[in-house]
Amino acid sequence: MPKTSTGETPYSLVYGTDAVIPVEVGEPSLRYSNEIGPSNDESRLQDLDEVEERRDMAHIRMIAQKQQAESYYNKKAKVRPLRVGDYILKSKTQAAKDPNEGKLGKNWDGPYKITAVASK
């Protein structure tokens, strides 16, 4: 199955052509009939020449999808700078949670007050 991020199947990115499943070999189909014969050798060589271009295009599509997801996330995120004197809550890790509290226990420690700025 083609991946949504690349638009290509992993097999085609490695070998330069789509895979033929055994059912297609046993059953006469248009796709398999085009895969056998002397024209197959020429098309196979052409596919191998184009595999680098297909990989590059898949990489470009994958980066574009990641940038689209990042811009969607950044559109919804509200960045707020923290200053000295602000109160914050610290998230508890699974190891720091009290097992006796169960799933309804606190997920946060605090509030803590910011007293100094260390770095950005």
Side-chain angles (χ1 to χ4, degrees):
M1 293 296 297
K3 299 291 180 184
T4 57
S5 59
T6 59
E8 299 282 341
T9 61
Y11 187 89
S12 69
L13 289 176
V14 173
Y15 298 108
T17 185
D18 291 330
V20 178
I21 59 175
V23 173
E24 291 179 343
V25 174
E27 294 288 323
S29 68
L30 182 62
R31 179 176 172 204
Y32 183 68
S33 64
N34 290 337
E35 293 291 326
I36 57 175
S39 65
N40 182 37
D41 295 338
E42 296 168 8
S43 65
R44 181 76 176 129
L45 289 173
Q46 184 179 2
D47 287 343
L48 289 175
D49 290 339
E50 294 172 356
V51 73
E52 286 298 323
E53 182 179 337
R54 291 174 73 182
R55 288 177 188 158
D56 291 340
M57 292 303 294
H59 183 70
I60 290 169
R61 282 193 297 271
M62 188 173 62
I63 289 174
Q65 184 188 25
K66 286 181 181 180
Q67 288 174 345
Q68 183 181 14
E70 180 184 6
S71 68
Y72 178 78
Y73 172 79
N74 288 338
K75 200 180 341 178
K76 293 187 175 283
K78 296 187 181 189
V79 179
R80 186 174 67 91
L82 299 174
R83 294 181 290 276
V84 175
D86 287 348
Y87 288 96
I88 60 169
L89 295 174
K90 179 183 166 193
S91 176
K92 277 189 180 180
T93 61
Q94 191 67 29
K97 290 184 180 180
D98 186 13
N100 296 329
E101 292 179 350
K103 70 177 190 178
L104 298 176
K106 295 182 198 174
N107 293 328
W108 305 95
D109 281 337
Y112 295 108
K113 187 175 184 178
I114 298 176
T115 57
V117 176
S119 65
K120 287 191 172 188

